[in-house]
Amino acid sequence: MHGFIRKLITEHNKPVDYHLPLSDAQIHLNPLIGSKIRLSYTGNIECNHCGRATKKSFSQGYCYPCFKKLAQCDLCMMSPERCHYHLGTCREPDFGDRVCMQPHIVYLANSSGLKVGITRPNQVPTRWIDQGAVQALPLFEVSSRQMSGFVETMFKAHISDKTHWQKMLKSEGIHVDLMLAREQLLAEAKSGIDDLIEIHGEANIRLVELPDAVTIEYPVEQYPTKVKALNFEKTSVIEGVLQGIKGQYLILDIGVVNIRKFTSYEISFESLESTPNQSGFAF
């Protein structure tokens, strides 16, 4: 089977169910864990938005013209506190209305350690799975993406907002008391939270009083002791035993592949060993 890669589709089961989209088809990956697979890059890249051929992928799957014009490729998507919608300079006001000027969640997650992050409510728990978190819970519900950026930036003085992907991929992760960590973080950041509420109002920044904590299990048979990133630009054919999947990474016995990084790359996918129950291919 071959086609253009899209980010892994996930379903929050025990463990998480993963499908690899290749253009219009999907490959169910969980049944292939323990089997040898081959991913062969054809050298073709197709823009995730307009479909034109491009020699280089920008912002995980876009051609350069789309990268420059689309709101989802703007710097404020990585730094939401820099949102400029209110200034009337948003690249795509309709996108801003649909995505940015909507409620967001500021959350606490345990991936490579405790971190804060932001997402839209309809991306829970997908966002947490994509980051390889083993635990997560919401902290605040806020009125917009920019507001979530203000809250997240304030928390950076007290806790990381990054996932260290190598550490995340080396183990199942150590579970912690998230509710206790939440209370400690809220106490440490109280003055910063109070300042933001005073500036923006309680209606725009609301504490989630009794959050539901989520626990996530991943389909991994063996974690690597040393993490080696595999790159289609350096090795067009990647072949190895699929030992597990965590976040957006395929864990092979020869290294790991960040599928999201190679969005819009065209690959051929082969399962080199038959599985007892199913082929792993879903159309």
Side-chain angles (χ1 to χ4, degrees):
M1 183 183 299
H2 76 276
F4 292 93
I5 296 174
R6 300 293 182 260
K7 87 178 191 74
L8 295 172
I9 297 173
T10 62
E11 185 176 352
H12 186 208
N13 293 323
K14 292 186 176 182
V16 174
D17 250 321
Y18 280 96
H19 288 80
L20 171 64
L22 291 179
S23 296
D24 295 328
Q26 292 182 19
I27 302 170
H28 190 194
L29 294 174
N30 293 55
L32 300 179
I33 293 175
S35 300
K36 181 174 285 190
I37 62 173
R38 178 188 295 142
L39 298 88
S40 305
Y41 171 43
T42 67
N44 297 324
I45 306 174
E46 180 182 271
C47 178
N48 192 29
H49 179 75
C50 71
R52 69 161 56 95
T54 176
K55 293 182 179 180
K56 183 178 180 181
S57 169
F58 296 86
S59 193
Q60 296 180 342
Y62 299 92
C63 64
Y64 187 72
C66 287
F67 168 69
K68 294 297 290 183
K69 75 178 183 182
L70 294 177
Q72 62 246 47
C73 298
D74 203 347
L75 288 174
C76 53
M77 295 306 293
M78 294 297 295
S79 302
E81 68 278 5
R82 298 170 64 179
C83 172
H84 48 96
Y85 177 96
H86 61 290
L87 300 176
T89 55
C90 181
R91 293 179 179 183
E92 297 176 276
D94 288 347
F95 177 87
D97 289 334
R98 295 193 317 271
V99 177
C100 303
M101 306 307 293
Q102 298 294 327
H104 277 62
I105 290 173
V106 181
Y107 62 82
L108 178 66
N110 177 17
S111 52
S112 56
L114 289 176
K115 69 176 289 290
V116 293
I118 66 171
T119 192
R120 287 174 287 162
N122 64 359
Q123 289 299 300
V124 171
T126 301
R127 175 64 172 166
W128 301 336
I129 294 172
D130 287 349
Q131 292 185 335
V134 294
Q135 297 169 280
L137 55 75
L139 292 171
F140 287 89
E141 292 181 359
V142 299
S143 59
S144 68
R145 186 173 179 83
Q146 184 184 47
M147 202 64 61
S148 71
F150 290 152
V151 177
E152 183 185 41
T153 299
M154 178 274 301
F155 274 127
K156 288 180 186 179
H158 307 279
I159 191 172
S160 175
D161 65 331
K162 307 294 184 186
T163 296
H164 298 285
W165 61 273
Q166 296 98 329
K167 182 178 179 182
M168 179 270 290
L169 290 171
K170 283 185 176 180
S171 71
E172 181 180 348
I174 299 174
H175 285 237
V176 299
D177 186 335
L178 271 192
M179 291 301 294
L180 177 60
R182 172 183 181 269
E183 295 308 312
Q184 292 175 341
L185 177 61
L186 292 177
E188 292 172 1
K190 185 179 185 305
S191 62
I193 295 168
D194 290 344
D195 289 344
L196 285 176
I197 291 176
E198 183 176 352
I199 294 170
H200 301 288
E202 292 183 355
N204 291 312
I205 304 174
R206 186 178 69 84
L207 180 69
V208 179
E209 295 291 349
L210 295 172
D212 291 326
V214 172
T215 300
I216 303 170
E217 300 175 13
Y218 296 92
V220 180
E221 286 188 348
Q222 183 175 340
Y223 287 95
T225 55
K226 184 177 181 181
V227 177
K228 176 185 177 182
L230 304 173
N231 189 328
F232 286 119
E233 297 291 348
K234 296 180 179 179
T235 306
S236 61
V237 178
I238 294 174
E239 181 179 314
V241 176
L242 180 62
Q243 296 181 326
I245 315 164
K246 190 175 184 183
Q248 282 286 315
Y249 288 86
L250 303 186
I251 301 172
L252 306 177
D253 60 338
I254 60 167
V256 302
V257 183
N258 181 352
I259 291 298
R260 193 163 194 172
K261 178 179 179 179
F262 298 106
T263 298
S264 297
Y265 282 55
E266 186 182 43
I267 67 162
S268 294
F269 183 99
E270 299 171 79
S271 174
L272 303 180
E273 300 175 19
S274 60
T275 56
N277 297 320
Q278 54 183 301
S279 66
F281 299 108
F283 296 90

